[in-house]
Amino acid sequence: MILYPAIDLKDGQAVRLVHGEMDSATVFNDDPAAQALAFQQAGCEWVHLVDLNGAFAGRPVNGAAVDAILSKLSVPAQLGGGIRDMATIEGWLQKGLARVILGTVAVENPDLVREAARAFPGRVAVGIDARKGMVATKGWAEATTVTATDLARRFEDAGVAAIVYTDIDRDGAMGGPNVEATDALARAVSIPVIASGGVSSLADLLALKAKGTIAGAISGRALYDGAIDLGEALRALRG
């Protein structure tokens, strides 16, 4: 199981939100590129990036910060937030991102996801953000009547590289991930599922790994707070 250290970008800084609320942002590093490099030096295989402003604006906002991060990294990075048309997808991938994560458009324009997955094999993931099992879009600001499992199944034959599943009620709250819901989603589809939201300890990571169904896990706040030692976690997950 791959551990993805997370860098959430707001106004050019690395922050974490609680339950996805923009006014709950805590700034952890005003130099996101230095933060990305520190994660890489600790041994991570991937870095997970989110353009928080972009998720609300519907277009890229933290491009300069992402460019700076990519200039420092030699490991692959994936990015979600505000990616809602083919031109933006192409632009990000040309800049050197390994993978883009499509969230809102997966609900509103699933054909775009399929088109992008065909055009860029292995480089398009679907972000499914759910509150009590129901998908939320536009930076989690809008609720839908679509279940996370139903949305995932729509892309079963699309060739997407992964599903990033976020339990919004767990995100940034340090209360542990929704292991059972993530496992259930992973069992419902053949697409690799990456867990996000609430991963706050090495025990959480090992609980996700123990299911044997979950391809990866994203953690942010716990790494910044020191609740998870990145090097120790990477060694434990590889063991």
Side-chain angles (χ1 to χ4, degrees):
M1 190 178 81
I2 296 171
L3 174 57
Y4 295 76
I7 298 177
D8 290 2
L9 298 165
K10 179 176 183 279
D11 305 331
Q13 298 174 310
V15 307
R16 288 301 284 167
L17 308 184
V18 177
H19 306 317
E21 299 293 337
M22 284 290 267
D23 58 6
S24 71
T26 300
V27 176
F28 283 106
N29 197 323
D30 59 9
D31 187 346
Q35 184 64 63
L37 186 59
F39 285 150
Q40 176 174 291
Q41 289 170 340
C44 72
E45 299 170 64
W46 279 80
V47 174
H48 174 78
L49 309 174
V50 182
D51 182 347
L52 291 172
N53 302 98
F56 285 90
R59 56 179 174 75
V61 176
N62 284 286
V66 175
D67 289 345
I69 289 168
L70 293 176
S71 74
K72 298 280 189 183
L73 287 181
S74 57
V75 297
Q78 62 183 16
L79 171 75
I83 306 172
R84 298 182 192 167
D85 57 55
M86 189 61 93
T88 304
I89 293 166
E90 290 179 359
W92 278 130
L93 294 176
Q94 286 170 358
K95 281 177 177 285
L97 281 163
R99 193 153 68 197
V100 293
I101 303 165
L102 306 181
T104 295
V105 294
V107 177
E108 298 184 349
N109 188 3
D111 287 342
L112 174 67
V113 177
R114 295 189 182 92
E115 179 187 356
R118 283 194 301 270
F120 305 103
R123 302 185 71 187
V124 175
V126 171
I128 297 181
D129 305 327
R131 188 178 277 117
K132 295 179 174 56
M134 307 304 290
V135 175
T137 61
K138 296 186 174 133
W140 305 346
E142 293 192 13
T144 74
T145 57
V146 181
T147 71
T149 302
D150 285 347
L151 181 59
R153 284 178 170 149
R154 292 178 190 176
F155 299 104
E156 187 70 273
D157 60 349
V160 300
I163 289 169
V164 178
Y165 174 66
T166 303
D167 186 309
I168 297 169
D169 291 327
R170 307 289 182 109
D171 191 69
M174 298 290 285
N178 194 330
V179 177
E180 297 307 321
T182 308
D183 175 53
L185 181 63
R187 291 178 185 279
V189 293
S190 61
I191 306 164
V193 171
I194 299 168
S196 175
V199 175
S200 57
S201 67
L202 180 57
D204 289 340
L205 289 169
L206 294 175
L208 290 165
K209 183 185 178 186
K211 289 294 182 182
T213 57
I214 298 164
I218 293 165
S219 183
R221 180 177 289 271
L223 296 173
Y224 297 108
D225 285 348
I228 295 176
D229 177 275
L230 181 54
E232 179 189 10
L234 291 169
R235 287 189 295 274
L237 293 176
R238 288 169 185 154

